Amino acid sequence: MLTLDKARVEFGGLTAVNDLNMEISKGQIHSLIGPNGAGKTTVFNTISRFVNLTSGNIKFNNENILNYKPNEVIRLGITRSFQNTELFANMTVMDNLLVGLHPLTKKNIFSTMLHLPSVRRIEQENRKKTIETLELLQIRHLEDEVVKNLPFGYQKMVDIGRAMMVNPELLLLDEPVAGMNNVETKQISELLLRLKHDFGFTIFLIEHDMSMVMEISDFVTVVNFGKKISEGVPAMVRNDPAVIEAYLGGEDVSHA
Amino acid sequence: MEALLQITFGGLIFGSIYALAAIGIVMIYKTTDVVNFAHGEMAMITTFISFTFLQMVGLSFFVSFLLALIFAAIFGMTVYQAIIKRVQNAPPLNQIVVTLGLFLAFNGIAGLIWGYTPHGYPSALRGDSFQVGSVFMSPHQLFILGITLALMILFFILFKYTKIGLAMRATQQDMQTSSLMGIKVSQVFNLTWAAGAILGGVAGILTAPITYLEPSMMIDILIMGFAAAVFGGFVNLPGAVIGGLIVGVYSNWVSYYIGSELSVAFVFLLIVLVLYVKPTGLFGAKYVKKV
Amino acid sequence: MQLKSQKLKYIFNSVVLLFIIVYPFLMNMSGYWMTLLVMMTIYGITAVALNIMIGYGGQISIGHAGFLMIGSYSVAIIADRFELPFVITLLLAGIITAFVGLIISFSAVRLKGHFLAVVTLGFGISVPVIALNWTSLTNGYSGMLVTRPAILSELSLYYFIVGCTVLFLWFMYNILHSSFGRAFISIRESEIAAQSSGINTTFYKTLMFVISSFFTGMAGGLYAYWIGFVGPTDFPVTISFLLLAMIVVGGMHSFYGPIFGAVLFSIIPHFTDEFMGITNIVIGLILVIIILFRPEGLVTIVDWFKMNKTMEKADTISKERGS
């Protein structure tokens, strides 16, 4: 469904992504792993169009993504979360998620100005949808909290929730469990599996938590210095000597 | 053709003043990260102080000039220490509002003390205009040119070859590392505001003989100085100087060929166009936001 | 709790409106006092309109008095040359001003922070200069007389202006408390997240400019009708600063803050105008003090007790998580 074809990104003299070929298949959880600075987030940024490719191509359902602007990518059915969360810090949890519904919301400035029933009805529907998502994430009780007052773990949830609002075909999650404790990590793992099974989401995941990656992924791609060094099902990647070498300098990946 | 030369020369003179104002604005922004909208009003107060020494105390021009600049240095440091320091890490909007507040307060204070009736202000060099080629020049114009050049050379040397200059450049690059390296960052900030206020003060004292001395004399100079700073993307000192000269010549052309009062509007148009083409200024850095 | 504060708000609004309605009679129809209140309403509309950009959208403008001036001159010029119903004239003034806002926004939406401040400042300084020099259109120094609509007495014009104010504020309230308002705020909070949520930031920034200048233009039009005269010195750049002061001092992250600020700063000159300069000093110092000690504005005093509540709640949330 998503194809990276010899994708290459250079910043000045530095090659962040080096002729990367990748294929993400529908209905899978596909993880992208690699040491810090391997260029993982840059891959995400090229897909969400914040970073331009130096050369190569990215296609989504045979549609050339490079023709789209960052705010248009969501219309293709791709949404994302951010590594350090890019939330609307001074807005409530509810409002953050409502912004996530933006592309699906019909808007007319004049009927809004007059507060017509149609506007009120759409708002009601959107709130209902938001509450469903909050319940799925088990953070319904935080609805009216201002995001910046929340602990980091909850903020991550809100970030994921916002990306889920439009029922995307492809969800890009950048380290969703970084900074979370074991209980929360487990909760997110379960959520991701549920999104895959019950909602048919395809999930493209960047994650450092190896046990989680190995447990939930259908497919894993490993990059180092922007170059793909291995890919395959988790069991295969886990035992690939090249991965063990590059990733941990010899340590066993499964214990990371 | 002769008119054009004359107008261009006049523009360069004004441009030097704008450049002086712009250097102050850019220096302060580069080092302390604050755009000082009160820059012009601080300069105006300094000019009034020099006027007080000159007229009321009866000192000579150069003594009043020097005393006023000493005042400007203290003034700049005080403003920084008492107020600006507290908003240095605040959002740009808060900084802008604070300096606009100072703008209003200084304007009001000057009006209260010195009144709103324009005063004449003598220039340092009196004497008749003379002709070079087809261009007429007055001693005051040459004085402006001389002072501007001297100050620029002085600041260039200060920046490049002295310890203070090195500390300033280091702080502009990276404040935290500089302070770890033993540079007294707060002292650098103080000095920058002092220097900025001095440059502004000189611009004010050079302007007063051409316009008049009154509390709103520097508003136009401020916007011209900003225009010049915009050319340099707010961070490039040579860019600001070149910008000042461009703005000076351009606005003088507008005054002569279109209408004297319209120059501000046309300079505004120029800024809009420049920023439309390059949103970070003509000689500015490219803006990159990290995701 | 929510319901109770809703009810309180409703009662408060009704009391204020009632006061405004009987106000001319309380003041014996005094032109001076009615003008004071009309200026509050005009600045109230403008401050809220400006706050759409600054407080909600995070886009600074320090030249908004320029839009007020365009609005007031539009009414003067249209009323002078064409025989149109005055409501249409007013609407046209809004549309013309919005059009100017649109043109400015082409450049402005690409700019950030200080650059945007400089461009809008330049705009605010340029408008009076143009009004002064475009003599064939504006009558230059002498300004223009505005023919008041013949059907309106002074009192009914007063009520018309009050009615317009209520209506405009309601319009803006609805916009800000809708998906449009949320899009504006999201741009202020994080342009990147806004974009990846599908918000076309350029379009919404332009929209903010257009809406803001539209209502500001109509406020300027109301001013022209009330005063009956427009001149090139009516809205100097210091008025732009004053508008900014209203927003900041009132509280820019609230709908009502700027209105509160507008009332406050319309009253201050009433007490200080006898001494030239004092008004500027007072306003300037208030600005500095507010930013240094209460950067969220004076409305936070009302929110004081609410705040303690949120803190408690945040506390329990983090405890809950720790367990």
Side-chain angles (χ1 to χ4, degrees):
Chain A
M1 127 195 269
L2 183 81
T3 316
L4 275 73
D5 179 23
K6 281 198 153 183
R8 186 183 186 86
V9 179
E10 287 169 18
F11 296 123
L14 185 92
T15 307
V17 180
N18 195 345
D19 295 339
L20 187 65
N21 291 313
M22 265 183 85
E23 170 75 43
I24 292 170
S25 325
K26 198 169 169 59
Q28 289 203 331
I29 295 181
H30 189 136
S31 293
L32 182 63
I33 63 170
N36 281 324
K40 301 181 301 284
T41 297
T42 308
V43 172
F44 268 28
N45 286 343
T46 57
I47 299 170
S48 49
R49 300 295 300 114
F50 288 113
V51 170
N52 278 322
L53 288 186
T54 312
S55 65
N57 215 340
I58 304 176
K59 281 192 169 151
F60 181 72
N61 292 337
N62 286 325
E63 188 98 50
N64 190 348
I65 269 195
L66 304 179
N67 295 334
Y68 291 80
K69 289 187 190 134
N71 63 295
E72 294 164 348
V73 173
I74 194 170
R75 278 164 229 276
L76 289 168
I78 304 176
T79 58
R80 70 171 291 184
S81 77
F82 293 86
Q83 188 175 354
N84 296 311
T85 69
E86 276 283 340
L87 289 163
F88 310 124
N90 289 299
M91 292 166 94
T92 62
V93 171
M94 171 65 97
D95 282 342
N96 265 273
L97 266 62
L98 282 170
V99 173
L101 269 179
H102 182 90
L104 298 184
T105 311
K106 270 199 190 127
K107 290 168 287 282
N108 177 316
I109 190 80
F110 295 105
S111 45
T112 303
M113 215 155 81
L114 297 167
H115 203 52
L116 294 182
S118 61
V119 175
R120 271 176 276 177
R121 204 191 58 237
I122 292 173
E123 180 78 9
Q124 287 299 333
E125 283 166 8
N126 283 349
R127 277 174 192 272
K128 227 172 85 190
K129 223 187 264 180
T130 306
I131 286 170
E132 282 164 16
T133 307
L134 288 174
E135 272 166 356
L136 189 69
L137 291 166
Q138 299 173 349
I139 51 172
R140 167 87 203 265
H141 59 295
L142 301 176
E143 196 182 320
D144 293 323
E145 296 301 327
V146 174
V147 163
K148 70 173 175 195
N149 297 334
L150 294 177
F152 190 65
Y154 282 133
Q155 293 193 359
K156 282 252 152 193
M157 298 267 233
V158 176
D159 202 7
I160 297 170
R162 187 179 58 196
M164 280 165 50
M165 289 306 292
V166 286
N167 285 327
E169 275 189 72
L170 177 65
L171 186 58
L172 310 177
L173 298 179
D174 198 346
E175 300 196 21
V177 300
M180 288 192 171
N181 61 33
N182 286 339
V183 182
E184 288 163 337
T185 303
K186 188 115 190 81
Q187 209 182 329
I188 295 281
S189 297
E190 279 163 14
L191 173 74
L192 297 188
L193 288 172
R194 219 180 129 194
L195 290 178
K196 182 180 99 168
H197 291 132
D198 299 358
F199 296 82
F201 282 18
T202 309
I203 296 169
F204 188 18
L205 185 71
I206 293 177
E207 193 43 73
H208 273 299
D209 187 323
M210 280 313 131
S211 53
M212 178 198 178
V213 167
M214 294 306 165
E215 190 187 314
I216 67 168
S217 305
D218 299 300
F219 203 81
V220 180
T221 301
V222 191
V223 287
N224 196 13
F225 298 113
K227 242 185 151 47
K228 183 161 76 180
I229 56 173
S230 174
E231 72 181 340
V233 293
M236 209 176 93
V237 168
R238 195 201 306 255
N239 299 316
D240 188 334
V243 176
I244 299 168
E245 172 65 31
Y247 204 84
L248 288 163
E251 265 180 81
D252 184 357
V253 178
S254 56
H255 293 151
Chain B
M1 188 60 207
E2 274 169 27
L4 183 69
L5 265 178
Q6 183 71 46
I7 302 302
T8 308
F9 174 73
L12 285 174
I13 301 298
F14 282 118
S16 319
I17 294 176
Y18 303 154
L20 281 179
I23 296 174
I25 293 166
V26 169
M27 254 177 60
I28 286 175
Y29 177 65
K30 260 183 99 157
T31 325
T32 56
D33 245 348
V34 174
V35 172
N36 183 17
F37 282 89
H39 195 70
E41 301 311 281
M42 288 170 68
M44 176 269 295
I45 298 243
T46 303
T47 311
F48 265 112
I49 294 286
S50 78
F51 182 71
T52 307
F53 286 129
L54 195 67
Q55 295 295 87
M56 320 234 165
V57 187
L59 298 174
S60 76
F61 185 90
F62 284 97
V63 176
S64 327
F65 188 71
L66 283 178
L67 286 176
L69 295 190
I70 293 171
F71 165 83
I74 299 168
F75 187 30
M77 281 195 258
T78 315
V79 168
Y80 172 73
Q81 279 296 333
I83 295 154
I84 303 296
K85 204 175 166 183
R86 295 158 198 259
V87 291
Q88 214 170 335
N89 297 315
L93 179 68
N94 294 28
Q95 298 173 348
I96 291 170
V97 172
V98 161
T99 58
L100 285 177
L102 291 175
F103 176 111
L104 288 172
F106 292 151
N107 187 286
I109 289 167
L112 203 65
I113 300 177
W114 292 289
Y116 286 94
T117 16
H119 302 273
Y121 189 100
S123 91
L125 302 175
R126 264 162 264 200
D128 296 327
S129 296
F130 50 90
Q131 200 173 358
V132 178
S134 62
V135 176
F136 283 91
M137 303 178 181
S138 75
H140 182 66
Q141 287 178 317
L142 292 183
F143 180 65
I144 291 175
L145 223 50
I147 289 273
T148 309
L149 265 175
L151 274 174
M152 276 173 200
I153 294 169
L154 184 73
F155 270 85
F156 178 75
I157 293 171
L158 214 72
F159 242 59
K160 266 258 136 85
Y161 299 109
T162 64
K163 257 186 142 168
I164 299 170
L166 186 69
M168 277 188 172
R169 278 183 291 147
T171 310
Q172 289 168 2
Q173 287 293 325
D174 189 334
M175 196 189 90
Q176 263 175 344
T177 316
S178 304
S179 80
L180 286 174
M181 301 289 280
I183 292 171
K184 291 203 183 73
V185 173
S186 63
Q187 225 169 56
V188 171
F189 292 156
N190 274 330
L191 280 174
T192 309
W193 274 80
I198 289 176
L199 285 167
V202 174
I205 293 171
L206 294 177
T207 308
I210 307 176
T211 61
Y212 279 102
L213 180 60
E214 45 119 3
S216 56
M217 64 180 265
M218 290 304 279
I219 293 182
D220 281 2
I221 308 278
L222 178 78
I223 189 76
M224 300 295 193
F226 273 131
V230 164
F231 268 95
F234 264 111
V235 288
N236 185 328
L237 283 171
V241 173
I242 296 168
L245 296 178
I246 293 175
V247 169
V249 171
Y250 167 80
S251 63
N252 225 32
W253 284 350
V254 172
S255 303
Y256 185 78
Y257 292 107
I258 302 175
S260 65
E261 280 150 333
L262 281 171
S263 62
V264 172
F266 275 83
V267 167
F268 160 67
L269 203 67
L270 183 69
I271 306 178
V272 169
L273 284 178
V274 165
L275 288 178
Y276 185 75
V277 176
K278 196 146 180 276
T280 49
L282 219 49
F283 311 112
K286 199 170 182 289
Y287 179 87
V288 183
K289 162 107 167 101
K290 263 188 96 172
V291 182
Chain C
M1 183 61 212
Q2 195 77 37
L3 263 174
K4 201 173 155 197
S5 74
Q6 280 289 340
K7 210 167 183 181
L8 269 174
K9 217 181 254 175
Y10 185 72
I11 293 171
F12 180 76
N13 286 347
S14 315
V15 170
V16 169
L17 197 60
L18 198 72
F19 172 76
I20 294 173
I21 290 169
V22 297
Y23 177 84
F25 300 98
L26 293 178
M27 293 302 166
N28 279 325
M29 302 289 169
S30 139
Y32 175 83
W33 289 102
M34 276 159 83
T35 301
L36 188 67
L37 204 137
V38 167
M39 287 317 287
M40 282 180 200
T41 65
I42 285 161
Y43 284 140
I45 298 168
T46 311
V48 172
L50 177 58
N51 201 39
I52 294 177
M53 287 174 59
I54 296 183
Y56 285 81
Q59 310 297 311
I60 195 162
S61 162
I62 44 179
H64 241 57
F67 290 122
L68 268 177
M69 184 164 244
I70 293 173
S72 63
Y73 266 95
S74 300
V75 159
I77 292 164
I78 296 170
D80 186 43
R81 311 211 165 166
F82 309 99
E83 297 267 324
L84 290 173
F86 73 103
V87 179
I88 303 282
T89 309
L90 194 63
L91 196 64
L92 278 176
I95 292 169
I96 291 168
T97 315
F99 184 70
V100 176
L102 179 70
I103 291 170
I104 299 293
S105 75
F106 288 146
S107 173
V109 294
R110 295 155 58 93
L111 306 177
K112 292 194 194 307
H114 304 308
F115 289 107
L116 184 55
V118 171
V119 163
T120 49
L121 176 68
F123 170 73
I125 291 179
S126 299
V127 174
V129 172
I130 294 168
L132 193 62
N133 287 279
W134 196 346
T135 319
S136 58
L137 189 72
T138 62
N139 223 5
Y141 275 106
S142 358
M144 298 177 80
L145 284 172
V146 183
T147 20
R148 270 192 194 176
I151 44 163
L152 288 182
S153 68
E154 185 165 41
L155 189 63
S156 43
L157 182 61
Y158 171 88
Y159 286 128
F160 175 73
I161 290 174
V162 170
C164 282
T165 307
V166 173
L167 200 65
F168 295 168
L169 290 179
W170 185 66
F171 286 160
M172 288 190 273
Y173 183 91
N174 287 339
I175 292 172
L176 290 172
H177 293 86
S178 74
S179 48
F180 286 99
R182 274 195 295 271
F184 297 160
I185 302 175
S186 73
I187 291 172
R188 174 192 81 198
E189 294 286 309
S190 162
E191 287 203 27
I192 285 179
Q195 281 182 329
S196 68
S197 301
I199 290 169
N200 183 341
T201 47
T202 309
F203 173 78
Y204 277 90
K205 283 184 197 171
T206 309
L207 190 65
M208 283 182 229
F209 254 97
V210 170
I211 294 174
S212 181
S213 45
F214 176 70
F215 286 107
T216 306
M218 292 213 284
L222 294 177
Y223 168 89
Y225 273 132
W226 180 259
I227 303 290
F229 171 81
V230 294
T233 54
D234 285 357
F235 296 110
V237 75
T238 39
I239 296 289
S240 295
F241 301 170
L242 189 70
L243 290 166
L244 202 61
M246 291 169 186
I247 291 174
V248 169
V249 171
M252 63 182 146
H253 293 136
S254 124
F255 182 82
Y256 294 94
I259 303 175
F260 178 60
V263 172
L264 187 70
F265 281 106
S266 306
I267 297 175
I268 288 177
H270 168 72
F271 293 105
T272 55
D273 251 7
E274 286 172 54
F275 316 96
M276 287 264 261
I278 296 273
T279 312
N280 279 358
I281 297 176
V282 170
I283 294 169
L285 288 182
I286 292 178
L287 269 179
V288 172
I289 289 166
I290 288 282
I291 287 284
L292 291 188
F293 300 106
R294 196 163 275 280
E296 286 290 306
L298 290 179
V299 277
T300 49
I301 291 171
V302 185
D303 292 340
W304 196 238
F305 72 104
K306 276 192 210 157
M307 192 128 101
N308 291 332
K309 243 183 134 59
T310 4
M311 302 274 265
E312 272 168 36
K313 211 162 179 186
D315 219 35
T316 43
I317 291 168
S318 45
K319 269 184 202 141
E320 189 182 297
R321 182 174 178 262
S323 63

